[in-house]
Amino acid sequence: MFCNNCNQENSSEAGFCSKCGHQLSDVQAQTPPPLTPVNISKDAQIPQNHSASSSENADALLAAFVGKKYDDFYRNKWFKDSEPRLEVNNDGSSIHSFNIAGLLLGTSWLCYRKMYLVAFFIVLGINAVDLVLMHLLGMEAYSSIGQTSFFVAWAVLTGLLGNYFYFSHSVKNIKKVMSNTADPATVEQELAAKGGTSWVGAIVGSILSVLLSMGMSYLFAPEWYWLV
């Protein structure tokens, strides 16, 4: 079926538009499926409230996923001078905003916000570039640069792009939940479960990041590295 707000095509079981977050309860499918007990049951779960705008729907969905920090912090960072939506703002505010937690905590903050895959690729990228520099520059040149300055540069990058990473992560999970669930109450519950924060994830993710770094250095670092 097609959304009557942005004309995005969605699955027949979706309760919200995967692009703009608009409720699909008032949208007619171009090719209606045959009426069966299953379809009738699913249609009965769709709310009859058509007054909410796509902006309000996106706002509610993001708030359900992020949790209490959404109104206090992320809403302003993502949608400064614009309406909430499930896509990157045209003015780029969701990209060009700074996250102090991303700067200070790096991958620990990413894991705290359950962005485990992003954290993994960042740690992998940091260590891969670090190892390449070891082999290309040699001991003296690499030592003059300093490993600390290298990780500081990556911390700054995480701070600069942290809000964008989290926005993309939130939108991806929201669209995935909406494509599989029609009941708004169930959508809210699943978003709360998938989103929010996890101290366990932050601790375990930090430990695994250290182990991954040590393992890559042990396997691929030049011999002189262990003598510095």
Side-chain angles (χ1 to χ4, degrees):
M1 64 177 64
F2 290 85
C3 175
N4 64 350
N5 181 62
C6 67
N7 205 35
Q8 171 71 19
E9 185 176 2
N10 299 272
S11 67
S12 59
E13 298 180 357
F16 300 88
C17 176
S18 61
K19 181 178 181 181
C20 68
H22 188 71
Q23 289 187 8
L24 300 178
S25 55
D26 55 352
V27 178
Q28 295 180 347
Q30 287 187 341
T31 308
L35 291 178
T36 64
V38 174
N39 290 336
I40 294 174
S41 175
K42 289 183 177 179
D43 290 339
Q45 297 176 353
I46 300 177
Q48 299 301 315
N49 179 16
H50 311 309
S51 60
S53 67
S54 60
S55 175
E56 291 172 338
N57 285 328
D59 209 27
L61 291 167
L62 287 165
F65 184 83
V66 174
K68 62 181 181 180
K69 290 291 290 184
Y70 177 70
D71 290 330
D72 298 338
F73 182 81
Y74 289 103
R75 191 180 193 277
N76 182 59
K77 290 292 185 179
W78 290 338
F79 307 112
K80 186 177 182 180
D81 302 325
S82 64
E83 294 294 327
R85 66 192 74 181
L86 296 179
E87 57 187 7
V88 176
N89 293 352
N90 294 329
D91 62 3
S93 60
S94 58
I95 298 177
H96 303 301
S97 58
F98 194 81
N99 190 297
I100 189 66
L103 170 68
L104 298 177
L105 302 177
T107 54
S108 297
W109 170 75
L110 293 171
C111 293
Y112 176 69
R113 281 290 170 182
K114 300 183 180 180
M115 291 182 279
Y116 306 119
L117 191 60
V118 176
F120 170 76
F121 281 114
I122 286 181
V123 173
L124 192 66
I126 289 173
N127 285 278
V129 174
D130 192 34
L131 289 167
V132 170
L133 290 177
M134 289 181 194
H135 288 280
L136 290 178
L137 299 178
M139 182 173 63
E140 293 184 4
Y142 179 83
S143 299
S144 65
I145 294 175
Q147 191 176 37
T148 302
S149 60
F150 181 74
F151 279 95
V152 167
W154 278 97
V156 172
L157 182 64
T158 305
L160 291 172
L161 296 179
N163 290 328
Y164 173 70
F165 288 152
Y166 192 37
F167 180 73
S168 300
H169 172 75
S170 301
V171 170
K172 180 180 178 180
N173 279 275
I174 288 172
K175 290 183 176 181
K176 183 177 180 180
V177 170
M178 289 192 303
S179 66
N180 296 327
T181 308
D183 182 17
T186 304
V187 168
E188 185 174 355
Q189 292 176 358
E190 291 193 17
L191 290 178
K194 289 180 175 293
T197 59
S198 173
W199 282 107
V200 174
I203 295 171
V204 174
S206 299
I207 294 173
L208 292 177
S209 296
V210 172
L211 293 176
L212 177 60
S213 298
M214 293 176 62
M216 292 182 67
S217 297
Y218 177 78
L219 293 173
F220 303 110
E223 294 181 359
W224 57 257
Y225 174 77
W226 302 103
L227 303 176
V228 176

